[in-house]
Amino acid sequence: MVKINSNFSKLNASLKQVGAELNFRYHFNNNRSDIALTRSKFNSDGTLSKIKNLKIDYLAGLSFYQKNFVAIYFQNLKADKINTFHFSECNDLLINLEKNESNTTLILPDSEKADLKKKDTNKLLSPCHLCLENTNWNNFEKAEDWSKRIIIEQFNILEFHKQMFSVERELVSNFISSDFLKMLPKNFPRILETAKSYKKWTCQKCKINVSGMKQLYHAVILDRTLKRYLPNDFLGLCTGCLKVKYHDMYITPEELDFINEFRPKSKK
């Protein structure tokens, strides 16, 4: 057997120099797992429409479709108007689901359609203000804190996804359960982001800083019986360290490249 070592990040950078691009897909240990089968139903652009018997779970202030963290909108993206998309349970979403379920489209936050960095997309997609209020995303107590965080006027679903993706990864890997997520407050995304920022996106075990790839950072609740959620009630760990104990936790080749390159070398 021949082992081939590949650095996907460098490979992608080299391809970009010649005008090509390598798109990564999530790698699962079992390609027939529920999460893999669900993602295979989505179109190549990350959207899913005409869903029968749609069931959305609203867990910890986020929206999930079969364990996939999703945003929801009700209009055609090609329409020449701003479309509101939802990522948590709110009255506007519930009313729209009741009246327009047949026209509902789910969108993966990391989809090319949700790339709010593109100027054209900015004109078409706008986050629901009620969803932002549910997550307490715009509640800043100090000016210093306010200046460092995403505010409603600058909200970017991709940045939000990077910070909240750990919840989906933990849910899929059975590190946490949907029943546990149901017990958490609706503003848990804001609590989680605050805890991660407080720990400066640094793994407290291997000391890697993952601020350059925030989806790798997990804020693990130390005592699940507590009803308070202060930064010190969490343990900051990277996906690599969690995977050592929880082998079912999935990770992409690009993420492995990042960990291998930036994890501090252990002293002998």
Side-chain angles (χ1 to χ4, degrees):
M1 180 181 291
V2 178
K3 182 179 180 181
I4 301 175
N5 292 319
S6 300
N7 186 307
F8 288 89
S9 299
K10 290 182 179 179
L11 176 60
N12 199 26
S14 298
L15 286 171
K16 286 184 177 179
Q17 289 182 2
V18 296
E21 185 174 354
L22 182 64
N23 293 318
F24 297 97
R25 293 188 177 276
Y26 293 105
H27 171 72
F28 303 97
N29 292 333
N30 179 2
N31 287 330
R32 296 194 62 79
S33 65
D34 291 341
I35 186 75
L37 291 174
T38 297
R39 279 186 173 267
S40 67
K41 298 176 185 177
F42 282 76
N43 300 322
S44 58
D45 63 2
T47 61
L48 179 65
S49 57
K50 298 180 180 178
I51 313 105
K52 293 183 179 179
N53 301 319
L54 176 64
K55 183 180 184 299
I56 299 293
D57 289 320
Y58 307 105
L59 306 172
L62 298 171
S63 299
F64 290 89
Y65 171 68
Q66 298 180 3
K67 293 188 178 181
N68 287 264
F69 174 27
V70 296
I72 306 167
Y73 68 92
F74 298 93
Q75 296 185 34
N76 188 335
L77 276 175
K78 295 181 180 179
D80 189 21
K81 61 177 69 174
I82 294 177
N83 296 304
T84 299
F85 63 91
H86 307 262
F87 53 88
S88 72
E89 182 180 16
C90 73
N91 289 335
D92 284 355
L93 171 60
L94 297 178
I95 292 172
N96 267 317
L97 277 177
E98 183 178 351
K99 294 181 178 180
N100 303 299
E101 183 173 349
S102 61
N103 296 320
T104 302
T105 298
L106 304 183
I107 181 169
L108 297 173
D110 54 343
S111 159
E112 63 183 51
K113 293 287 187 180
D115 188 355
L116 300 190
K117 295 178 182 177
K118 295 179 181 178
K119 293 182 179 179
D120 291 342
T121 312
N122 276 324
K123 297 177 182 178
L124 295 174
L125 287 170
S126 176
C128 168
H129 279 222
L130 290 179
C131 287
L132 288 164
E133 290 177 11
N134 278 350
T135 59
N136 203 25
W137 203 255
N138 205 37
N139 182 24
F140 307 107
E141 297 180 358
K142 300 179 181 178
E144 180 182 3
D145 182 65
W146 178 86
S147 66
K148 292 181 180 179
R149 303 191 191 282
I150 303 170
I151 58 175
I152 286 179
E153 289 75 13
Q154 298 173 345
F155 184 84
N156 184 300
I157 191 63
L158 291 182
E159 183 66 21
F160 183 74
H161 176 247
K162 291 176 184 177
Q163 300 184 52
M164 297 302 116
F165 179 70
S166 60
V167 181
E168 179 187 289
R169 200 194 303 257
E170 292 167 17
L171 180 63
V172 170
S173 305
N174 296 318
F175 180 76
I176 53 175
S177 66
S178 57
D179 288 338
F180 174 67
L181 285 177
K182 290 176 183 176
M183 299 170 57
L184 297 174
K186 286 186 176 181
N187 68 332
F188 189 68
R190 169 66 174 157
I191 294 170
L192 197 67
E193 190 272 341
T194 301
K196 291 179 177 182
S197 297
Y198 180 81
K199 297 178 186 300
K200 299 180 180 179
W201 304 92
T202 300
C203 179
Q204 292 178 256
K205 186 173 182 179
C206 73
K207 309 304 179 184
I208 186 175
N209 183 295
V210 296
S211 57
M213 192 171 279
K214 292 181 177 178
Q215 69 264 29
L216 285 170
Y217 202 63
H218 301 255
V220 179
I221 299 176
L222 291 170
D223 186 348
R224 295 185 181 183
T225 65
L226 293 177
K227 295 302 180 183
R228 67 166 193 248
Y229 304 104
L230 302 175
N232 285 330
D233 295 326
F234 294 85
L235 178 66
L237 294 173
C238 71
T239 305
C241 286
L242 272 181
K243 189 171 177 60
V244 172
K245 187 174 182 180
Y246 297 92
H247 302 295
D248 289 338
M249 191 160 288
Y250 63 86
I251 190 167
T252 69
E254 188 178 30
E255 291 169 339
L256 280 174
D257 277 350
F258 185 94
I259 290 175
N260 291 333
E261 182 175 356
F262 294 103
R263 174 176 281 171
K265 305 299 180 183
S266 57
K267 296 181 180 180
K268 296 182 180 180

